């Protein structure tokens, strides 16, 4: 029994002895401290510059002046100008619609005839009054007779004034049988044809002027600080108004038009904190050969030119940290936290005033759990390049 168990016991003892020998003669591991590896970060070099601020807004092109063409007399339409179609152009003073004149010509002749009759009555009343006054001076007629002649003269003079008013009214009604264009413009809609009867006060067309086009541009109140505009009554009329570049995709290509901001609507929307600026384009339908007309109804983007600000560092918006803080890399390639003055944040750029010096290195990369003094490895150093 004992001999049968010696074999396995001898194998087990031999294995343990071999394991101890290997452990005793094998290589020993030495504990090592892991050195902190610098984080690679993208950087840029701060460069102070003078920046002209720009404000972006969007709006729809509208006519400066729009009005209804209204018939001021009633009658049958005898003629309509070829320009009286939707989209038709017309010039100031052009006859757009003609109303039948016969009745108004007859009314004018009647009023003129009545004026002539009253003039004759006035002449006779004046002659009679002068004759009776001479007789009264010789006490040949009574005072009551003279008073009656004086009264008839006064009535004749009043009737003459009334007759002149009737003639003027008849002449004016006759002139109003021709509907005249009040300005150079274009027809938006028309509702009249030859042979149609129109009533006094009936609108026969909607017109708008083409001397200027306007764009209503809502701008946030924070952006007004960078525009040379005032919401008050005091405004220097000699000061140049801000220029605006209007952009839109039109006629198969990207187009631009130059405009001027001429005024503000002066009211702040309490819900959106927006103020509406009005930009004008002169002669929108008389552009150069390579620029299409600025058509009413077109939706455009406007880039408004604002004030110039000196000593500004422009950085990517993503480089700005919570609490208006930047990460700056010092000469030893260590991270420094820096609180800065943020003048403006617009689109993808941030504009920094005080707090950063020209030539300092700004960290652009986001770092997980950053610690001030942490070593970093800058890559991609370069000067700032951003447009307002």
């Amino acid at each position: 029994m004992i001999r049968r168990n010696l074999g396995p016991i001898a194998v087990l003892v031999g294995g343990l002895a071999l394991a101890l020998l290997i452990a005793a003669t094998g290589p020993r591991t030495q504990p090592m401290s892991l050195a902190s590896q610098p984080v690679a970060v993208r950087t840029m070099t701060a460069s102070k510059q003078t920046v002209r601020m720009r404000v972006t807004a969007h709006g729809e092109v509208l006519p400066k002046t729009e009005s209804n063409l209204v018939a001021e007399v009633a009658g049958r339409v005898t003629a309509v100008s070829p320009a009286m179609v939707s989209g038709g152009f017309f010039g100031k003073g052009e006859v757009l619609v003609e109303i039948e004149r016969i009745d108004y010509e007859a009314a004018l002749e009647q009023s003129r005839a009545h004026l002539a009759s009253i003039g004759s009555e006035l002449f006779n009343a004046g002659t009679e009054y002068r004759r009776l006054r001479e007789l009264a001076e010789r006490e040949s007629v009574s005072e009551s007779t003279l008073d009656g002649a004086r009264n008839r003269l006064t009535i004749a003079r009043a009737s003459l004034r009334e007759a002149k008013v009737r003639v003027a009214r008849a002449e004016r009604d006759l002139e109003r049988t021709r509907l005249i264009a009040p300005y150079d413009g274009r027809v938006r809609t028309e509702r009249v044809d030859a042979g149609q009867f129109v009533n006094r006060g009936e609108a026969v067309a909607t017109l708008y002027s083409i001397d200027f086009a306007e764009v209503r541009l809502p701008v946030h109140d924070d952006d007004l600080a960078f525009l040379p505009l005032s919401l008050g009554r005091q405004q220097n009329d000699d000061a140049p108004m801000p220029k605006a570049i209007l952009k839109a995709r039109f006629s198969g290509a990207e187009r631009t038009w130059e405009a001027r901001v001429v005024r503000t609507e002066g009211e702040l929307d309490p819900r959106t904190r927006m103020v509406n600026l009005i930009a004008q384009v002169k002669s929108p339908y008389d552009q150069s050969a390579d620029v299409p007309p600025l058509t009413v109804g077109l939706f455009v983007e406007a880039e408004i030119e604002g004030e110039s600000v000196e000593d500004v560092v422009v950085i990517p918006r993503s480089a700005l940290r919570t609490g208006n803080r930047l990460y700056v890399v010092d000469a030893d390639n260590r991270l420094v936290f820096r609180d800065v003055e943020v003048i403006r944040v617009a689109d993808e750029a941030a504009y920094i005033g005080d707090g950063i010096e020209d030539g300092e290195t700004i960290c652009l990369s986001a770092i997980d759990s950053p610690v001030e003094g942490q070593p970093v490895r800058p890559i991609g150093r370069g000067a700032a390049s951003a447009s307002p």
Side-chain angles (χ1 to χ4, degrees), residues 62-68 183 186 188-189 206-209 296:
L62 302 170
K64 178 185 176 184
T65 304
E66 184 171 357
S67 55
N68 289 327
Y183 41 68
R186 197 174 188 185
R188 183 185 287 274
T189 58
T206 302
L207 316 174
Y208 60 85
S209 64
V296 169

Side-chain angles (χ1 to χ4, degrees), residues 314-320 344-351 385-388:
V314 185
I315 65 172
R317 184 174 185 171
S318 58
L320 190 63
R344 186 186 182 207
V345 176
D347 297 329
E348 298 303 319
Y351 304 88
S385 177
S387 58

Side-chain angles (χ1 to χ4, degrees), residues 98 200 269:
E98 292 188 56
R200 184 189 297 268
D269 190 317

Side-chain angles (χ1 to χ4, degrees), residues 5 20 45 69-70 96 103 121 123 161 165 168 176 178 185 192 219 226 234 247 264 285 299 343 384:
N5 293 333
L20 291 174
T45 302
L69 185 65
V70 177
L96 300 178
D103 292 342
E121 291 179 6
F123 177 77
R161 290 197 297 271
V165 170
R176 288 172 174 173
R178 290 189 173 95
V192 65
V219 173
F226 306 102
Q234 301 297 328
K247 303 176 183 179
T264 68
Y285 289 93
F299 192 78
I343 298 175

Side-chain angles (χ1 to χ4, degrees), residues 28-34:
R28 295 183 178 274
T29 59
Q30 299 292 333
M32 297 179 61
S33 61
L34 294 176

Side-chain angles (χ1 to χ4, degrees), residues 41-57:
V41 294
R42 293 181 299 108
T43 62
M44 61 171 280
T45 302
S47 175
K48 290 197 172 184
Q49 54 189 294
T50 299
V51 176
R52 181 174 289 279
M53 296 295 180
R54 287 177 173 82
V55 176
T56 302

Side-chain angles (χ1 to χ4, degrees), residues 55-331:
V55 176
T56 302
H58 299 81
E60 181 184 354
V61 178
L62 302 170
K64 178 185 176 184
T65 304
E66 184 171 357
S67 55
N68 289 327
L69 185 65
V70 177
E72 297 183 82
V73 295
R76 185 174 60 87
V77 176
T78 58
V80 177
S81 169
M84 280 291 289
V85 292
S86 180
F89 289 93
F90 55 83
K92 182 178 180 179
E94 182 178 342
V95 178
L96 300 178
V97 178
E98 292 188 56
I99 297 174
E100 192 171 39
R101 298 167 59 89
I102 295 176
D103 292 342
Y104 296 99
E105 289 172 344
L108 177 59
E109 288 302 316
Q110 287 179 344
S111 61
R112 285 173 176 171
H114 181 65
L115 176 61
S117 175
I118 295 299
S120 177
E121 291 179 6
L122 177 62
F123 177 77
N124 292 334
T127 302
E128 180 68 12
Y129 173 72
R130 286 190 296 272
R131 186 180 68 80
L132 292 176
R133 187 177 60 184
E134 291 175 357
L135 292 175
E137 290 175 353
R138 296 195 297 268
E139 298 183 353
S140 298
V141 296
S142 64
E143 284 294 327
S144 62
T145 302
L146 181 61
D147 289 343
R150 183 185 297 111
N151 186 50
R152 288 190 294 273
L153 178 60
T154 301
I155 293 173
R157 286 172 176 169
S159 298
L160 181 66
R161 290 197 297 271
E162 181 184 2
K164 288 181 177 179
V165 170
R166 288 183 178 181
V167 170
R169 181 182 299 166
E171 290 175 342
R172 189 167 59 251
D173 286 345
L174 183 60
E175 291 176 0
R176 288 172 174 173
T177 58
R178 290 189 173 95
L179 277 62
I180 308 298
Y183 41 68
D184 294 340
R186 197 174 188 185
V187 178
R188 183 185 287 274
T189 58
E190 57 85 19
R191 299 176 290 278
V192 65
D193 290 300
Q196 177 181 337
F197 187 89
V198 295
N199 294 308
R200 184 189 297 268
E202 181 179 348
V204 299
T206 302
L207 316 174
Y208 60 85
S209 64
I210 57 174
D211 54 346
F212 289 94
E214 292 188 342
V215 184
R216 191 166 175 259
L217 301 171
V219 173
H220 200 276
D221 63 341
D222 290 340
D223 292 329
L224 289 178
F226 306 102
L227 298 176
L229 294 170
S230 172
L231 298 181
R233 297 182 61 182
Q234 301 297 328
Q235 182 75 31
N236 186 2
D237 295 334
D238 296 331
M241 300 301 287
K243 183 171 70 172
I245 301 299
L246 308 182
K247 303 176 183 179
R249 184 168 183 82
F250 183 66
S251 188
E254 293 294 332
R255 310 290 185 176
T256 60
W257 299 266
E258 184 173 319
R260 287 281 177 184
V261 176
V262 295
R263 67 182 186 278
T264 68
E265 290 190 348
E267 293 184 359
L268 180 67
D269 190 317
R271 295 172 301 171
T272 62
R273 308 297 299 172
M274 293 285 190
V275 175
N276 291 313
L277 310 184
I278 305 300
Q280 283 187 355
V281 177
K282 187 176 181 180
S283 302
Y285 289 93
D286 296 328
Q287 301 294 320
S288 59
D290 57 340
V291 179
L294 182 61
T295 306
V296 169
L298 186 66
F299 192 78
V300 297
E301 176 184 334
E303 188 177 82
I304 308 168
E305 191 174 89
E307 302 277 10
S308 293
V309 183
E310 298 180 348
D311 296 331
V312 174
V313 176
V314 185
I315 65 172
R317 184 174 185 171
S318 58
L320 190 63
R321 310 303 169 192
T322 304
N324 293 342
R325 174 173 290 182
L326 291 181
Y327 297 160
V328 177
V329 180
D330 64 12

